[in-house]
Amino acid sequence: MKIKVGDNVIVIAGKDKGKIGLVQATFPKENKLVVEGINIKTIHVKPTQQKPDGGIEKVEKPIDASNVMLNVGNLKDETKAKATKIAYKLEKNKNGRNDKKRVAKATGEEI
């Protein structure tokens, strides 16, 4: 999975198309991720000792990784957001080994 925790992504498909958020968690085996403010579902919570009233809560659920792309445009404004693919670039370090870096294909800048 090319998208990591902390990346700023834009949703490209689904009911939240066009929205921007930060990745909070990734699930590589299922190819899903949890994005802040995206795919919010309502769940009913039974009363417990910690929450004696129980009630209704809104929870962010995982979204498929194919429905999001990395955002390299304006990080807050959805009208100026720019989605891009992610490429990898190998660079030699001091020890002569290769370092694998993530690069935005649209701008060429390192992520």
Side-chain angles (χ1 to χ4, degrees):
M1 184 179 297
K2 295 183 178 185
I3 297 175
K4 309 290 181 199
V5 174
D7 284 349
N8 194 349
V9 295
I10 182 168
V11 180
I12 59 170
K15 67 175 185 164
D16 293 321
K17 182 177 181 177
K19 290 186 180 178
I20 297 173
L22 284 174
V23 177
Q24 294 180 331
T26 61
F27 306 103
K29 288 185 180 177
E30 293 120 29
N31 198 34
K32 293 185 181 269
L33 21 106
V34 176
V35 182
E36 179 182 12
I38 307 295
N39 199 26
I40 296 177
K41 302 290 183 185
T42 303
I43 61 169
H44 297 269
V45 179
K46 292 176 94 177
T48 62
Q49 288 183 346
Q50 289 81 17
K51 294 183 180 183
D53 295 334
I56 299 173
E57 292 181 1
K58 296 194 181 267
V59 178
E60 295 157 345
K61 294 289 188 173
I63 186 171
D64 199 85
S66 65
N67 293 337
V68 298
M69 288 182 82
L70 189 70
N71 178 24
V72 292
N74 193 325
L75 302 183
K76 302 274 189 221
D77 190 9
E78 294 174 0
T79 59
K80 297 182 181 173
K82 184 173 184 180
T84 182
K85 292 181 181 180
I86 300 171
Y88 289 103
K89 186 167 116 180
L90 295 175
E91 292 180 353
K92 294 270 185 189
N93 63 9
K94 299 181 225 177
N95 302 332
R97 293 186 175 177
N98 286 331
D99 284 340
K100 193 173 181 181
K101 307 282 184 178
R102 293 190 309 152
V103 177
K105 280 194 171 185
T107 60
E109 66 185 35
E110 189 176 311
I111 302 167

